[in-house]
Amino acid sequence: MNKRFDTLEVEAGVFIPEIGKTYPQDKPDQSLLKPVYNNNIQFDETYPYLDDSFWFRFNNWCGYYFFLYPFVFTTNRLKNGLRIKGRENLKKYRKLLTEHGAICVCNHCNRLDAPAVLNALYASHNTRIPMYAPNFNTKDHWYMWAVGGIPVPESGLKAMKCFNAAFDEFNRRGSWFLIFPEAARWDYYKPLRPFQKGAFTMAYKYDKPIIPCVITFRPRTGIFKLFGKTDEPLLTINIGEPVMPDKSAPRKTEVDRLREVCHLKMQKMAGIRHNTWNVKPDNE
């Protein structure tokens, strides 16, 4: 049913969820969600990718400190049994990360994985998250917008130019970026899928360190059986040491190196000895 799991090799004791779900075998960025679109926002050059309005700043601050921290993070702890490992890996880089910000990359495997990463990194409301634009037209619009989600234009050179200009300014302000390089969310999927190059291109462009994180799974046990389905695993987020870009290297070479190093680090943290996907998409 899931042939990619047949050749997956993991370390002893590593838990692989079995939730009765079938995943695509040859389209690692295929969306498995079927959202209901109830808005009609246009993501063209008129969209405020860089929104400095009082209304956004108010919602952004409230979204973090009245919604994410007290509600969503608590839900993650109870429903997903969230554990965090590896925060000590960031301590010796505190000065660098404070001054320059960072780009965090993580596998995309749960509806609440973005809040999990934000929680793990003690993220501030200045964090920005490139997101799949059409999802801003769902019932989750306010949540995605308020936590700093920036829709990635699907087409249009003018729109993409505005998007890029916004991130140039976010970088100038020292913002942190959270990016899911697998692109699509596949719930509780163990293998690491190929990484799109966007996060690593940004790291090279902005000379920004990359923090590799990976979410792993544990069996649902004890009191956590009261807060979720018994076949849905609990989550652990693992934080690795930052990976620094080498600006003296050619851009393409360095982007490929950053992508490969992060993918391999995340495989190791996930307890994967042999992954079943390539590091980058076959059609790139």
Side-chain angles (χ1 to χ4, degrees), residues 125-140:
H125 64 284
N126 293 320
T127 303
R128 295 294 174 259
I129 312 170
M131 294 182 176
Y132 182 55
N135 286 346
F136 281 78
N137 280 319
T138 68
K139 61 182 176 61
D140 291 331

Side-chain angles (χ1 to χ4, degrees), residues 246-262:
D246 179 3
K247 289 288 286 185
S248 67
R251 183 190 65 82
K252 185 180 184 306
T253 301
E254 183 61 6
V255 167
D256 286 342
R257 184 192 74 86
L258 290 170
R259 175 164 48 182
E260 183 170 357
V261 168
C262 288

